[in-house]
């Protein structure tokens, strides 16, 4: 979801950073551990690489690439001083100087080191620069001294990291409703009429919107891959469920993105029990479902941005998508060609065209995460112009 540079420095509390690393990974973050030489006396860089699930030959300059958060926990008096003065003499302090984003530090040290005027001045200098400090807490230190200096607990640091990540994104304060996956319309107790949508595109959009600070609600229709952490998940297995939940959640949403493949037709009658196998043919009658996007288009409030997906096949798809854009009252349509097996349904990549009333923009074939970035860039531009 977000890339987090996790700096670990040479204090006893370094062992607690293992748990913090695990929690960050569990939340879905891409964690890059930066362990100082002094910290390696307490914990090994290898432990953090394993916890962060980093491949052995990871790019050595990864620490200098874009990150959403630099989190130093524990932060020694020494590293706090280096951060305050811009010293770059190890993998962590180099990264800190190159980092252009929010920084969160969890100081941990002996109470006398924490109360020393030099440390006070360094902490104050960092605060003035916008660095967020979490802790230290009061209590007994590892050496048995009482006072303020103990590192905040991993849970508390994780909460602070969440707040910092949410508070800086361009979609901060926006509510985004996204649907993902493909609905399944029951035929009987065990069979259904469904489609091949995995939900990957909607999930990538949800993760990206969340990364940009939005409050995300995901309407999940039979996802084949796990949903990102940190969002509200509402299970909507059938078209009727999705319709009900979309209409219930849409009024509060600033942006609605309907990426799920919702059945256009459902069996007119679903059997309560499993129909036993016999030799007779089974003739089905399918009835149309509600066009949820059109209803959302009719009911949307002022200032709400509505994004639809058009799963079309072949060259005539663009014409049909243009027609849908005007008919369904959406601001933006994302057209993907579902006749190709390398993109679209159940694929890792997508290649789409973004259609608005003003323009049509092709987005080159790329992993769905990157396509989500392009779509949300367009959404942000439209919100900005709106
Ligand atoms: C057993 C032991 C425990 C230490 N615990 C801390 C600590 O909790 N906080 C701190 O600021 N320094 C502590 N130090 C001192 C740091 O390890 C030392 O200042 C080191 O240079 C920090 O380097 P770093 O900031 O690059 O990791 C400790 C040293 C030892 C030997």
């Amino acid at each position: 979801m977000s890339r987090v540079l996790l700096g670990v420095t040479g204090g006893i509390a370094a062992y607690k950073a293992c748990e913090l690393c695990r929690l960050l990974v569990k939340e879905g973050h891409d964690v890059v551990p930066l362990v100082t030489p002094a910290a390696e006396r307490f914990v090994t860089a290898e432990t953090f690489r394993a916890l962060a699930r980093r491949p052995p030959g990871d790019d050595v300059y990864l620490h200098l690439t874009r990150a959403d958060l630099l989190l130093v926990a524990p932060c020694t008096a020494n590293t706090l001083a280096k951060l305050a003065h811009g010293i770059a003499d190890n993998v962590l302090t180099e990264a800190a100087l190159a980092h252009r984003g929010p920084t969160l530090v969890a100081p941990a040290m002996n109470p006398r080191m924490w109360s020393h005027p030099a440390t006070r001045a360094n902490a104050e200098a960092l605060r003035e620069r916008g660095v967020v400090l979490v802790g230290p807490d009061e209590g007994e230190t590892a050496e048995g001294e009482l006072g303020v200096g103990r590192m905040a607990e991993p849970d508390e640091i994780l909460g602070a990291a969440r707040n910092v990540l949410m508070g800086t994104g361009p979609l901060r304060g926006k509510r985004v409703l996204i649907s993902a996956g493909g609905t399944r319309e029951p035929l009987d107790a065990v069979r259904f009429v469904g489609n091949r949508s995995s939900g990957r595109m909607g999930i990538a959009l949800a993760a990206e919107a969340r990364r940009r600070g939005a409050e995300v609600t995901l309407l999940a229709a039979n996802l084949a891959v796990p949903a990102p952490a940190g969002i509200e998940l509402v299970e909507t297995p059938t078209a009727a469920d999705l319709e009900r939940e979309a209409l219930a959640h849409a009024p509060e949403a600033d942006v609605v993105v309907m990426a799920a493949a919702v059945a256009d037709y459902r069996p007119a009658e679903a059997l309560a029990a499993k129909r036993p196998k016999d030799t007779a043919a089974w003739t089905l009658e399918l009835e149309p479902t509600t066009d949820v996007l059109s209803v959302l288009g009719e009911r949307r409030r002022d200032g709400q941005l509505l994004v639809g997906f058009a799963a079309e096949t072949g060259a005539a798809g663009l014409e049909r998508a243009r027609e849908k854009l005007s008919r369904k009252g959406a601001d933006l349509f994302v057209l993907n060609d579902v006749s190709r097996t390398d993109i679209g349904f159940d694929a890792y990549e997508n290649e789409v065209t973004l259609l608005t009333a003003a323009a049509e923009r092709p987005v080159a074939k790329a992993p769905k995460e990157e396509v989500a970035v392009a779509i949300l860039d367009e959404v942000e531009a439209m919100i900005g112009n709106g």
Side-chain angles (χ1 to χ4, degrees), residues 6-85:
L6 175 63
V8 182
T9 68
I12 292 283
Y15 78 93
K16 287 193 185 173
C18 298
E19 174 63 1
L20 181 61
C21 183
R22 194 187 68 78
L23 293 172
L24 288 164
V25 170
K26 200 169 145 215
E27 290 244 313
H29 298 300
D30 175 22
V31 180
V32 180
L34 306 173
V35 181
T36 65
E40 288 228 45
R41 291 181 301 175
F42 302 91
V43 285
T44 68
E46 202 53 42
T47 306
F48 284 95
R49 260 202 298 277
L51 287 168
R53 301 180 193 156
R54 302 232 65 100
D58 225 6
D59 177 5
V60 289
Y61 291 110
L62 200 57
H63 67 298
L64 298 179
T65 61
R66 182 200 62 79
D68 302 292
L69 174 68
L70 168 67
L71 165 55
V72 187
C75 184
T76 57
N78 178 54
T79 294
L80 196 82
K82 287 183 187 176
L83 295 178
H85 294 274

Side-chain angles (χ1 to χ4, degrees), residues 293-319:
L293 189 65
S294 295
V295 179
L296 291 172
E298 284 160 19
R299 296 193 188 176
R300 75 165 163 178
R301 59 172 173 75
D302 274 358
Q304 184 180 66
L305 195 92
L306 187 57
V307 183
F309 268 67
E312 298 286 352
T313 54
L318 184 61
E319 208 37 63

Side-chain angles (χ1 to χ4, degrees), residues 197-211:
S197 175
S198 62
R200 282 195 183 87
M201 191 65 244
I203 285 173
L205 282 161
E208 182 60 22
R210 161 78 196 188
R211 202 182 69 72

